[in-house]
Amino acid sequence: MTTSQQPAAGGSHGFATEQFAPVRELFDSMLDADPRYSAQLAVYVGGSKVIDLVGGPDVAPDSLTGVFSCSKGVSALAFSLLVQDGVIDLDATVTTYWPEFAQHGKGAVTVRQLLSHQAGLVGVQGGFAMEDYNDLPAVADRLASMAPMWRPGNGTFGYHALTMGVFLEELCRRATGLRLQDVYDSRIRVPYAADMFLGLPESEESRFRPVLFDETPAPGFFDPHSIAGVAGNVQAGNLLGLPNIRSVRAAGSCSGAGVGSADGLARVYAGATTGIDGLPPFLSPETIALMSQEQVWGLDRVFCEMSSFAVTFMKANPRMDFGSAQAFGHDGANAALGFADPCTGLALATSRPGTRKAARRAAACNSAPPFEKFFWFRRAGVATPPVAKMG
């Protein structure tokens, strides 16, 4: 395997195999275009690493940074183990595991509906402080006592930005007595040696790079009492600062407080689907098919634009065309992304501790939201990776 290891002046560090050299050229061109642009990119194909790149002033090869809602995808991989083990039944009612959830007519809501953004529990009036998410039972109790913002089961769905992780965590806690973060640590992160944390230990703090925002453009107005305003928690806290709060990243809220490297995030998805380093995939093809099957598609009630979701995972669609019909994963703020595509055996992740200006520049390079057109490959003119057999 031929690789490109050495950086050009001002270019990226790391490597890309010969097939993916154009991806490195594109990565380097973005570094050249903006001296403040910082990013990591990692790709596995068939369980083998083919790209591991880092560049920019605010990131090093061993840096860890906040990956925001990519945390939901990582958490869903851990939750998938509970489904695979028969501990959780997606078609059972939520109240099977969490009886208090039945309040205000929610007793018929299934786990499948709850975890595909259909329950109408996007947040609470007044919002939560970011540190509130460290107290899972209290937040879960408050959500259980709520009336839905729309009638569950009628086909309406909307992105549960800060509450989806609470649902995953509480269902795990009720069904197993364990924290979902601990299930992830013991069954995924440690055995698969992934630099992706749901709860950053103090011993890794020296590697953490805060998410930087050197520009603060005037935000669009959100009525704080609207569905979008409640989902965005606009009355209580700045979501973009979530991973920069030490107590929050230490607790590792599954909604958005995960911290990792691009390689760690890609490694988790590769471990799930193809296996890595001689280890078999930790999810069976049947579990992957079950968890990644599209559940909803259409107009998102929160964002008022096209979205599609599987069980927690995002699915590719014309607005967010990151892979084949089999692809599944999750993006995050500041242009973070992690996903796997069983059709090609590919697992990809990006992370950026860099500035919002840099993220907007990356978007401008492709006339689309960052990475939502899988531009590392398509703009670089790289052919779709060859199909790699799963497992």
Side-chain angles (χ1 to χ4, degrees), residues 327-339:
F328 65 98
H330 216 289
D331 71 356
N334 215 36
L337 173 66
F339 75 90

Side-chain angles (χ1 to χ4, degrees), residues 298-365:
L299 189 66
D300 185 299
R301 183 63 183 81
V302 172
F303 289 138
C304 295
E305 59 186 15
M306 180 187 294
S307 295
S308 51
F309 291 98
V311 180
T312 303
F313 298 111
M314 289 179 165
K315 294 291 288 181
N317 60 62
R319 183 184 65 84
M320 190 173 181
D321 188 13
F322 60 80
S324 77
Q326 296 181 39
F328 65 98
H330 216 289
D331 71 356
N334 215 36
L337 173 66
F339 75 90
D341 193 338
C343 185
T344 57
L346 181 143
L348 178 148
T350 64
S351 67
R352 284 202 190 104
T355 63
R356 292 179 69 175
K357 179 178 180 180
R360 289 198 300 275
R361 173 162 183 80
C365 288

Side-chain angles (χ1 to χ4, degrees), residues 28-48:
D28 287 347
S29 73
M30 298 175 75
L31 297 174
D32 290 341
D34 188 339
R36 295 179 296 174
Y37 180 80
S38 298
Q40 296 174 331
L41 171 67
V43 180
Y44 289 75
V45 176
S48 298

Side-chain angles (χ1 to χ4, degrees), residues 217-374:
F221 173 74
F222 279 107
D223 178 347
H225 302 293
S226 69
I227 290 179
V230 172
N233 206 54
V234 298
Q235 296 183 75
N238 177 6
L239 305 188
L240 296 176
L242 192 66
N244 290 349
I245 303 170
R246 168 59 194 160
S247 66
V248 173
R249 65 177 176 270
S253 165
C254 291
S255 286
V259 170
S261 66
D263 178 65
L265 183 54
R267 194 171 178 85
V268 168
Y269 278 98
T273 53
T274 62
I276 46 176
D277 297 343
L279 294 172
F282 59 81
L283 296 180
S284 70
E286 293 77 17
T287 301
I288 291 169
L290 177 67
M291 293 294 292
S292 67
Q293 182 183 47
E294 186 174 274
Q295 304 295 314
V296 292
W297 180 89
L299 189 66
D300 185 299
R301 183 63 183 81
V302 172
F303 289 138
C304 295
E305 59 186 15
M306 180 187 294
S307 295
S308 51
F309 291 98
V311 180
T312 303
F313 298 111
M314 289 179 165
K315 294 291 288 181
N317 60 62
R319 183 184 65 84
M320 190 173 181
D321 188 13
F322 60 80
S324 77
Q326 296 181 39
F328 65 98
H330 216 289
D331 71 356
N334 215 36
L337 173 66
F339 75 90
D341 193 338
C343 185
T344 57
L346 181 143
L348 178 148
T350 64
S351 67
R352 284 202 190 104
T355 63
R356 292 179 69 175
K357 179 178 180 180
R360 289 198 300 275
R361 173 162 183 80
C365 288
N366 199 38
S367 301
F371 300 106
E372 291 185 357
K373 289 292 183 182
F374 198 12

Side-chain angles (χ1 to χ4, degrees), residues 79 83 87-97 107-116 118 171 290-291 293 295 311:
F79 192 88
V83 176
V87 174
I88 296 283
D89 179 356
L90 294 179
D91 293 315
T93 62
V94 176
T95 57
T96 302
Y97 311 100
V109 176
T110 66
V111 174
R112 186 188 299 271
Q113 290 171 329
L114 180 69
L115 299 185
S116 54
Q118 298 184 65
L171 284 168
L290 177 67
M291 293 294 292
Q293 182 183 47
Q295 304 295 314
V311 180

